[in-house]
Amino acid sequence: MPAPEPRIPTTAGAGPMSYAIFQLARAHRAYAAALLRGMDLHPGQEVLLMHLLDRDGQSQSELLECLGVDHSTLSKALRRMQDAGLVVREPAAHDRRVMVVHLTARGRAMREPIAALWQALEETSARNLSERQAQSFVETAYAITEAINSRALPGEESA
């Protein structure tokens, strides 16, 4: 049975792709959140852990740059993760004002569960797609991301 046709609000009629992205992001985040709850993680914390699993001991500034979130979002996530025993934060030896984030043994043990969760999320997300469609989607998603990230915000245009 085919999926029902989405009801797009008339105001969003001029932006069907943007509305589809909104719906996709919402559905994907909700499903990921449900999977993450079983691991006592909040959405986004698994990505933070993945970056630390690739390179432990990053500064908060480095994590901000690779995650693309604001400082308060990162601080809140790190505080929760520290309370859960996944990470520790300590001043850098070269500059006590710089905070470095390290995984604990519990945080390092999350590698396999996170990989399994990410695989399950991927399989569910691509369930109705051919391999070619999935690859095309990934390429398209990155092209859209690049287009959005390279735009000038209102007031940033050069005179």
Side-chain angles (χ1 to χ4, degrees):
M1 182 163 125
E5 195 67 29
R7 258 190 70 216
I8 300 173
T10 56
T11 309
M17 183 177 66
S18 293
Y19 193 75
I21 292 169
F22 164 77
Q23 292 287 56
L24 170 62
R26 190 175 68 171
H28 192 270
R29 182 176 172 88
Y31 184 59
L35 295 175
L36 288 164
R37 269 192 295 280
M39 297 172 61
D40 292 325
L41 293 174
H42 295 274
Q45 289 179 342
E46 83 284 12
V47 177
L48 180 51
L49 285 169
M50 284 191 253
H51 281 283
L52 289 168
L53 286 162
D54 281 353
R55 189 169 66 84
D56 197 8
Q58 293 185 59
S59 70
Q60 287 188 205
S61 296
E62 290 170 314
L63 290 168
L64 279 170
E65 187 175 320
C66 66
L67 293 171
V69 297
D70 62 52
H71 186 272
S72 64
T73 300
L74 179 65
S75 291
K76 182 178 179 181
L78 288 172
R79 187 174 47 255
R80 283 179 169 171
M81 293 168 72
Q82 191 165 356
D83 291 346
L86 299 169
V87 299
V88 293
R89 292 182 283 182
E90 55 192 23
H94 71 282
D95 185 343
R96 311 264 321 144
R97 297 170 297 175
V98 175
M99 294 302 287
V100 178
V101 183
H102 292 280
L103 291 166
T104 63
R106 185 172 181 205
R108 283 188 295 281
M110 297 297 284
R111 180 182 296 276
E112 292 307 317
I114 288 172
L117 178 142
W118 213 249
Q119 182 177 355
L121 187 58
E122 185 82 1
E123 288 170 1
T124 298
S125 298
R127 180 176 51 207
N128 296 336
L129 303 176
S130 68
E131 191 173 323
R132 183 171 169 269
Q133 287 174 314
Q135 181 59 39
S136 178
F137 174 79
V138 170
E139 292 168 5
T140 301
Y142 280 119
I144 292 169
T145 301
E146 175 60 27
I148 291 169
N149 288 340
S150 65
R151 92 291 180 213
L153 291 174
E156 289 183 353
E157 294 90 14
S158 46

